[in-house]
């Protein structure tokens, strides 16, 4: 279907749904939520229970969804609510609930009945369904929200909980979403990791009972496990085949996702904020709104699902998703904490020489009483260190301007070193148990962002930097510690700490973005400890891992790319590993390119290579950032990894190819099938990013049809003396 047709179809669908239906349910009410390819169909039955009766590829007419249940002959459901749209507990439920409460009178039962539903059109191709549910006994109400992005088949689901009881209600569990899938079997592809080994995938068949993925780390919540996952139906999906659901929670703190294979062999997914140590006391008339749980579904495999998610992210979610980004030179690995104005002046000149847009000054520029000369002191004291930078940041920003480059700076504003003036002045601003020994993560503690004074302080760090240096062009926002000894001197109710921390963080980021809406900010968390789609509303990019060894990066970036588009992935060329500069740079080009090397120590050829590669990158970046990504050859299955970024018109693209297995004779013996091209167009393939003095073995003048390249393929000719091959593909006119 072309775009116009999609919109017309969508409009028609909206027109049939708009309005509010609130009549007593004499007949079951069918509520289909349709996107371009998929449907989630809810039903409010005669007893006003709301359940999920279908999820998957949509039917051409809505009339038949009510027949779906009849063709399943699965064993009985004693409760009649295994497929509840939002499972309450304490009444007849026997499985994992989405919501558990203790009412003002101490009662722990909840039942939720259909009251009404409304569909509103939010924007072209975006609609919002809300369903109001009420407890028939208590004055307690939940509204379920389903925001559908028609073209990209993406859904965001969340809930809003409120009540008018005589006193506070305690929410013991408060999921964002409750899904229900039917298939013969289910395969969960989840991720785990740690510092420098983020996004390690594991796939397993789900068995009966509950598998929980969660985080209890508070900050940098993804360090050990991110909330993103894939569920394949019937058999593990491959890149181009199979039914697969991608999901993740838009929340930068503790999350929890339960996968419950129920007694009927169906899969219940319940996702949201982790209720671990977090019962939430909700006052009458206060609304508790859960963060969105995001998902997309494809019956064409993982590649299609990821392209849809990436498109959605660029169009609707990430800050400046359709905009541009800055290439940069960072000084972290070239100087660590050991720098001064003379060294930095030379690095500014190197930034220009290299040909990137910006110089990024990393950790170590601040604190005087306890100077930040290593990672044991100074966090919290955000004044320039007088011996390293006697003339301050502003003189560096000016110098950068003279050199014709922009200037950016590293901060870690949520943290405090025990050895800092901030800690001495405000021990009550620090998250720590008053009666217990302090326990550190990277020698530091977390500030109590639940406290509005701390929020003002953190906001002030950024605001002051910009007030003093209006030309400051980039912020790297780091977060290197988890929360231990969770206790806030500010909060009355300690079980609100994990939730209020994240809310406090968002309040600060909201203020930053109100005053500085466009300045690019990198979300870093000792590597990839934090990225999620709530945070990416405030950040233009993230730092996937401190591990920049390029072979490792091929795998790390590969996995992240299923969930996040290349424009958000900050990839820096560093000295990690033994790969040549060409390999390192080519790998970093598959995202937002940066460098963290000693430019002055590069050989003439290495420097010339980098300068040329940056020029190539500048020409190709619109395609890498905004184009469609096709994974052509999987590094886990083949000795060559191959990834294509192709423009929407299918007329230009770039294919990155890397040898990932160095055994004797390894290489691309067989051609690699290209994807996504127009079969009727003709194309040329030209190798770029050639190291000085080398020539390509690929004939750039040969013309291939799209059909040929997709059916027979092309050969990048990777081998031990051609470990990294970048190929530009262009329509031949
Ligand atoms: C973290 C980041 C690094 C660097 C250091 C500075 O580890 O991931 O890139 O900024 O902090 O201390």
């Amino acid at each position: 279907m072309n775009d116009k047709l999609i919109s017309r179809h969508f409009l028609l669908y909206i027109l049939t749904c708009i309005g509010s239906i609130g009549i007593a349910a004499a007949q079951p009410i069918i509520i289909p939520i349709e996107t371009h390819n998929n449907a989630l169909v809810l039903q409010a039955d005669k007893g006003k229970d709301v359940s999920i009766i279908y999820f998957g590829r949509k039917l051409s007419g809505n009339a038949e969804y009510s027949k779906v249940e009849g063709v399943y002959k699965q064993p009985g459901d004693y409760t009649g609510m295994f497929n509840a749209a939002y499972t309450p507990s304490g009444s007849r439920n026997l499985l994992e609930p989405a919501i558990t409460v203790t009412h003002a009178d101490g009662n722990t039962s909840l039942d939720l009945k259909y009251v009404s539903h409304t569909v509103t059109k939010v924007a072209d191709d975006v609609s919002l369904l809300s369903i109001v549910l009420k407890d028939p006994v208590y004055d307690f109400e939940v509204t379920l929200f389903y925001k559908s992005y028609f073209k990209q088949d993406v859904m965001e689901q969340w809930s809003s909980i409120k009540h008018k009881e005589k006193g506070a209600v305690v929410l013991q569990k408060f999921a964002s979403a409750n899904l229900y899938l039917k298939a013969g079997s289910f395969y969960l592809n989840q991720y785990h990791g740690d510092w420098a080994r983020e996004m390690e995938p594991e796939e397993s068949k789900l068995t009966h009972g509950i598998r929980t993925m969660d985080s209890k780390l508070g900050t940098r919540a993804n360090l050990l496990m991110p909330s993103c996952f894939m569920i394949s139906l019937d058999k593990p999906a491959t890149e181009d085949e199979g039914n697969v659901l991608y999901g993740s929670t838009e929340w930068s703190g503790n999350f929890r996702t339960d996968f419950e294979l129920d007694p009927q062999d169906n899969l219940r997914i319940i996702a949201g904020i982790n209720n671990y140590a977090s019962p939430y006391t909700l006052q009458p008339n206060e609304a508790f709104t859960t963060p969105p749980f995001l998902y997309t579904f494809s019956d064409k495999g993982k590649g299609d699902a990821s392209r849809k998610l990436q498109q959605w992210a660029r169009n609707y979610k990430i800050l400046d998703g359709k905009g541009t980004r800055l290439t940069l030179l960072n000084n972290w690995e070239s100087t660590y904490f050991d720098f001064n104005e003379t060294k930095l002046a030379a690095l500014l000149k190197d930034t220009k020489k290299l040909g990137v847009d910006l110089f990024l000054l990393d950790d170590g520029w601040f604190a005087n009483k306890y100077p930040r000369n290593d990672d044991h002191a100074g966090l919290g004291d955000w004044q320039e260190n007088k011996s390293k930078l006697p003339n301050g940041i502003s003189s560096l920003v000016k110098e950068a301007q003279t050199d014709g480059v922009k200037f950016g700076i590293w901060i870690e504003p949520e943290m405090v070193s025990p050895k800092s003036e901030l800690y001495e002045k405000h021990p009550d601003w620090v998250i720590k148990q008053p009666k217990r020994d302090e326990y550190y993560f990277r020698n530091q503690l977390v500030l109590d962002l639940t406290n509005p004074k701390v929020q003002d302080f953190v906001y002030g760090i950024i605001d002051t930097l910009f007030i003093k240096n209006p030309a400051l062009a980039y912020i790297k926002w780091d977060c290197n510690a988890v929360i231990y000894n969770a206790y806030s001197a500010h909060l009355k109710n300690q079980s609100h700490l994990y939730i209020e921390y994240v809310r406090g963080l968002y309040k600060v980021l909201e203020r930053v973005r109100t005053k500085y809406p466009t300045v690019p900010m990198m979300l870093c968390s000792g590597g990839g400890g934090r990225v999620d789609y709530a945070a990416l509303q405030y950040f233009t990019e993230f730092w996937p891992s401190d591990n920049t060894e390029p072979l490792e990066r091929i795998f790390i970036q590969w996995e992240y790319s299923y969930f996040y588009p290349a424009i958000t992935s900050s990839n820096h060329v560093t000295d990690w590993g033994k790969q040549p500069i060409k390999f390192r740079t080519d790998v970093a080009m598959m995202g937002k390119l940066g460098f963290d090397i000693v430019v002055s120590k590069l050989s003439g050829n290495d420097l010339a290579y980098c300068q040329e590669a940056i020029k190539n990158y500048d020409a190709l970046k619109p395609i890498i950032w905004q184009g469609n990504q096709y994974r052509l050859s999987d590094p886990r299955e083949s000795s060559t990894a191959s990834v294509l970024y192709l423009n929407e018109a299918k007329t230009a693209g770039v294919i990155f190819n890397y040898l990932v297995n160095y055994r004797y004779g390894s290489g691309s013996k067989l051609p690699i099938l290209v994807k996504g091209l127009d079969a009727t167009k003709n194309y040329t393939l030209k190798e770029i990013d050639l190291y000085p003095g080398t020539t390509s073995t690929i004939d750039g003048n040969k013309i291939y049809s799209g059909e040929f390249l997709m059916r027979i393929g092309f050969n990048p000719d990777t081998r031990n003396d051609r470990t990294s091959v970048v190929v530009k593909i262009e329509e031949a006119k």
Side-chain angles (χ1 to χ4, degrees), residues 353-356 550 572-574 579-590 593-595 597 599 601-618 620 624 654-658 687-696 722-727:
K353 186 157 87 181
L354 190 61
V356 289
H572 292 182
V573 178
T574 73
Q579 300 292 339
I581 192 89
K582 169 170 164 54
F583 193 106
R584 286 180 270 151
T585 308
D586 291 351
V587 171
M589 279 170 74
M590 294 194 299
L593 178 67
F595 290 79
I597 49 173
V599 176
K601 287 198 183 142
L602 291 176
S603 71
N605 275 346
D606 278 5
L607 178 63
Y609 166 78
C610 289
Q611 290 166 330
E612 181 63 24
I614 291 164
K615 282 193 196 123
N616 289 335
Y617 180 76
D618 282 338
L620 288 168
I624 297 170
V654 54
I655 312 176
F656 294 93
N657 310 274
Y658 312 99
E687 184 171 356
I688 56 165
D689 279 13
L690 287 165
Y691 192 77
T694 63
T695 48
S696 177
R722 281 172 56 82
T723 54
S724 167
V725 178
V726 181
V727 176

Side-chain angles (χ1 to χ4, degrees), residues 5 21 57 62 68 72 83 93 124 243 284 290 301 318 330 347 370 423 426 432 467 503 508 535 631 644 672:
L5 258 170
I21 302 167
R57 179 99 199 182
N62 284 345
V68 171
Y72 283 83
N83 62 342
N93 172 51
D124 264 2
N243 295 306
T290 64
I318 50 184
N330 190 191
L347 293 181
Y370 304 104
Y423 187 99
H426 298 288
K432 57 181 179 127
I467 289 169
R503 287 178 172 172
V508 173
R631 294 173 204 83
L644 160 70
I672 290 172

